[in-house]
Amino acid sequence: MQYVRVMPKADQTSRTPAPSDTPVESAAGSRAAAQRLKMRRELAAAAMELFSTKGYEATTVDEIAAAAGVARRTFFRHFRSKEEAIFPDHDDTLVRAEAVLNAAPPHEHPLDTVCRGIKEVMKMYASSPAVAVERYRLTREVPTLREAEIASVARYERLFTRYLLGHFDEQAHHDGNDDPLLAEVAASAVVTAHNHVLRRWLRAGGQGDVETQLDHAFAIVRRTFGTGIGAGRTPAAPPAAQVSRSDEVLVTVARTDAPLSEVMRTIEEALQHR
């Protein structure tokens, strides 16, 4: 699977806002977003407390709103249902993840960009470990919440699939029909690796070096999907390594996007079979 970095073209027709207007609008938008997130978190905290004490089925939207000190209509301005209240941060986290993709440096491998994007989800959970652990317990016990969690995961997978699909090197592919499959599988692998580490961290009570665990999981995904593996394609590259015994010269062939660790492993294997 090969990717290329696609640089967006500047919109020549767009009007640059007046410098005096931009800070005011930006500050107002930031305050509104902060207030919105604060209210969503307060409603979520109230919902979680009631779910824990009364049970999910016995808790009503009116009770959640009352516990948060707001009206019923305020609840529905932020959530469509009570199960959505258990996941107050996913909308904003999805926006942050997309911002990571859009601001990626040109030299970065797109799969590494996606790994950085999904880290925004881990940051969300790690910001409140106690809340995250309790949320995990509830989603294990309530099927409806588990379904809502699965739906949120699918949103990240769709975002990353679209991004990876937009960065294929079309010149390196002879069968374009494989591209959507490869992009979807790679995106799913990143999300699955993240969720594996996240669940392990939550089962441990929110303890442990989750950053190191994530990097290890992503390295596995990068080795598997970031070095040109494509379903149904016959590799055109020559053998990985060849040894000339006459003058003891080792010739090694590797992909330009292969990690250094993979190149070194290829050389070591060739030397062992001299």
Side-chain angles (χ1 to χ4, degrees):
M1 185 188 304
Q2 295 183 353
Y3 301 94
V4 292
R5 175 67 61 189
V6 178
M7 299 299 293
K9 295 182 180 179
D11 185 357
Q12 301 296 333
T13 62
S14 61
R15 183 180 65 88
T16 303
S20 59
D21 296 340
T22 303
V24 175
E25 294 176 357
S26 177
S30 297
R31 285 196 299 270
Q35 292 172 353
R36 172 179 174 274
L37 183 57
K38 179 175 180 291
M39 176 53 64
R40 286 170 64 86
R41 287 177 173 172
E42 289 176 357
L43 287 166
M48 287 183 61
E49 178 65 24
L50 288 168
F51 292 163
S52 300
T53 55
K54 292 190 61 176
Y56 173 78
E57 297 297 340
T59 300
T60 66
V61 168
D62 288 335
E63 290 172 329
I64 295 172
V70 299
R72 173 187 175 91
R73 64 179 178 275
T74 299
F75 176 93
F76 284 111
R77 279 204 297 267
H78 294 276
F79 301 108
R80 289 174 296 182
S81 61
K82 65 179 183 180
E83 58 263 23
E84 278 195 3
I86 202 67
F87 305 106
D89 300 331
H90 275 303
D91 286 347
D92 297 279
T93 302
L94 193 71
V95 171
R96 292 198 302 275
E98 186 170 12
V100 170
L101 306 185
N102 293 337
H107 66 273
E108 186 174 50
H109 192 288
L111 201 56
D112 291 334
T113 304
V114 169
C115 289
R116 288 198 301 111
I118 195 66
K119 279 188 175 182
E120 292 299 318
V121 181
M122 183 60 77
K123 291 177 185 177
M124 174 191 74
Y125 282 95
S127 65
S128 302
V131 174
V133 171
E134 177 61 18
R135 178 189 294 179
Y136 178 70
R137 184 189 67 81
L138 284 172
T139 55
R140 301 283 72 73
E141 296 177 355
V142 182
T144 304
L145 296 181
R146 175 60 177 163
E147 292 171 3
E149 182 183 47
I150 292 173
S152 69
V153 169
R155 295 171 67 192
Y156 293 105
E157 290 187 354
R158 288 194 295 270
L159 171 66
F160 297 145
T161 297
R162 289 195 303 269
Y163 180 78
L164 291 177
L165 187 56
H167 290 81
F168 274 99
D169 182 358
E170 297 179 358
Q171 300 301 319
H173 290 262
H174 301 291
D175 184 0
N177 292 333
D178 282 346
D179 290 359
L181 169 64
L182 295 173
E184 186 170 352
V185 170
S188 179
V190 171
V191 174
T192 298
H194 169 274
N195 290 347
H196 174 83
V197 173
L198 173 61
R199 286 192 298 268
R200 186 165 55 189
W201 179 74
L202 291 171
R203 288 194 294 266
Q207 303 295 318
D209 186 356
V210 71
E211 185 76 17
T212 298
Q213 295 174 28
L214 269 182
D215 288 340
H216 173 70
F218 291 154
I220 294 174
V221 173
R222 180 69 160 80
R223 287 196 301 270
T224 305
F225 295 99
T227 56
I229 296 177
R233 296 195 177 94
T234 301
Q242 298 175 348
V243 178
S244 174
R245 297 184 181 278
S246 60
D247 51 3
E248 295 298 318
V249 174
L250 174 67
V251 179
T252 303
V253 179
R255 298 183 62 87
T256 57
D257 59 355
L260 178 59
S261 59
E262 182 175 324
V263 176
M264 295 303 298
R265 186 172 61 252
T266 301
I267 295 174
E268 290 174 357
E269 292 175 352
L271 289 172
Q272 290 172 1
H273 292 86
R274 291 179 63 240

